[in-house]
Amino acid sequence: MKLSSSQLEAYQREGYVIVDCPFPKTRTQDCQSAVEKVAIDPESVTADTRRNHYRLAPQIPGSYWCALDHALPYLKIMLHPEILEMARQLSGDDDVYLRNGGINELAPDHSFWWHRDSEMVYTEFMHYFSSASVEQGCLRVIPGSHIGSADRFKEEAERRRREQGYPEEYWVDGIADVELPGEVPLEVRPDQLIVRDSRIFHATGLNTSRDGRSMSHWLFRDGASNDHRFRFEDVLTDELIEALSPAQRDALWLCRDFEIAEGYREEREREDGKVAWGVV
């Protein structure tokens, strides 16, 4: 699956495009079932210092990672042949590698404030397998904000926060960040994917529903990028790796020689032998 010429043009102009999932509905159902298998009482999730979990506890305190980020149901989607084809198209490289994926749950009464993920250029895939409506705190983006500096958007957000009496501390529960000119909410169904530029300026709405909103997101890097977060053979069980196709294993760069990116060395040392994923 490749983006059509009109989809590719929209992606380059707006910084995102919404596409239909190229995998069967059962894959999404497997993701939902996996959450139910390992979910715990939200009141018991006391180690979520990264604010990205609700019913899924981090594997170790202070970690980004829960039990499902690269578990088999999610890797089958991230490494689906048609998604790999799209990743190669957008990166302009046949030798892409999966840098990492991750599960994000937006708890009731929570939101994320305006930010840009990175100044590096890559594509992020977002699968809201629980769906994402305005009520659930869907993604908010400013189309075209991936082009050029994000300073003008940051300054406008800060100005509006001051004018509207927002607290200086970010991530305060119970309120969504300020509205910005030109922003649009991206409501999606479980059978859709958001494909977006890493640099787009984005936030979420406030989750005013009674349930957590679940999303799996992941990114590939081109073969020349030195942005490896870990070696997958160190964090995936043999059973999981055996369940993948040869082409899917290739995208994990198993047993290839590379260095962990400097920005992730401390994280890797702290989590080595303590964080792993398998078949759920």
Side-chain angles (χ1 to χ4, degrees):
M1 174 184 178
K2 290 185 177 181
L3 295 181
S4 67
S5 57
S6 60
Q7 288 173 323
L8 187 58
E9 181 182 346
Y11 175 85
Q12 294 169 340
R13 181 183 66 249
E14 309 289 355
Y16 74 93
V17 66
I18 297 174
V19 302
D20 292 336
C21 292
F23 44 83
K25 184 178 179 180
T26 52
R27 290 277 188 263
T28 298
Q29 293 170 340
D30 290 343
C31 291
Q32 295 166 337
S33 297
V35 172
E36 296 305 320
K37 286 180 181 179
V38 304
I40 63 175
D41 182 346
E43 297 297 324
S44 302
V45 184
T46 58
D48 182 25
T49 58
R50 303 294 184 175
R51 291 180 54 88
N52 61 338
H53 295 115
Y54 175 54
R55 296 194 300 155
L56 300 174
Q59 291 197 37
I60 63 174
S63 175
Y64 284 100
W65 313 116
C66 69
L68 298 180
D69 302 287
H70 304 99
L72 187 58
Y74 302 91
L75 275 185
K76 282 185 175 179
I77 288 177
M78 297 176 203
L79 300 175
H80 188 277
E82 294 188 68
I83 289 180
L84 284 172
E85 186 178 26
M86 197 186 316
R88 294 181 181 117
Q89 175 194 22
L90 291 169
S91 70
D93 189 353
D94 288 337
D95 192 27
V96 297
Y97 62 85
L98 180 68
R99 206 284 299 277
N100 69 265
I103 305 294
N104 179 280
E105 299 178 286
L106 189 66
D109 214 32
H110 280 55
S111 67
F112 278 90
W113 289 22
W114 288 106
H115 64 286
R116 174 181 273 186
D117 282 349
S118 177
E119 297 301 327
M120 293 187 287
V121 182
Y122 55 83
T123 299
E124 182 168 342
F125 295 82
M126 308 178 81
H127 180 213
Y128 288 84
F129 55 90
S130 67
S131 76
S133 64
V134 169
E135 180 188 20
Q136 293 169 305
C138 67
L139 193 70
R140 303 157 60 191
V141 303
I142 300 178
S145 58
H146 62 301
I147 300 172
S149 171
D151 288 347
R152 63 193 187 280
F153 304 111
K154 294 177 184 176
E155 292 166 1
E156 180 64 17
E158 290 169 358
R159 184 185 69 80
R160 292 184 176 221
R161 290 173 192 141
R162 289 193 301 269
E163 288 182 350
Q164 297 176 33
Y166 271 58
E168 292 185 8
E169 180 184 359
Y170 285 15
W171 320 122
V172 176
D173 295 345
I175 57 174
D177 205 353
V178 294
E179 294 185 14
L180 291 181
E183 71 165 90
V184 296
L186 300 187
E187 294 187 293
V188 286
R189 304 185 307 267
D191 63 346
Q192 295 177 309
L193 296 177
I194 297 174
V195 184
R196 69 171 182 84
D197 191 292
S198 56
R199 300 163 296 170
I200 198 168
F201 206 61
H202 64 285
T204 76
L206 181 69
N207 183 1
T208 59
S209 73
R210 294 184 296 174
D211 299 312
R213 186 264 289 139
S214 300
M215 177 263 288
S216 171
H217 58 115
W218 64 96
L219 61 100
F220 296 91
R221 297 304 310 271
D222 62 84
S225 297
N226 180 23
D227 192 32
H228 296 273
R229 198 158 185 171
F230 36 63
R231 292 177 178 81
F232 276 98
E233 60 264 37
D234 294 339
V235 295
L236 302 182
T237 65
D238 292 341
E239 182 185 15
L240 188 158
I241 292 173
E242 284 297 317
L244 302 175
S245 71
Q248 290 173 323
R249 292 176 206 157
D250 284 346
L252 298 178
W253 278 29
L254 299 175
C255 302
R256 289 176 62 164
D257 185 26
F258 57 81
E259 296 293 326
I260 301 300
E262 191 61 37
Y264 301 117
R265 286 187 184 277
E266 184 176 341
E267 175 187 79
R268 190 72 234 122
E269 291 170 0
R270 185 172 67 88
E271 299 184 345
D272 190 25
K274 301 174 184 176
V275 169
W277 295 276
V279 175
V280 179

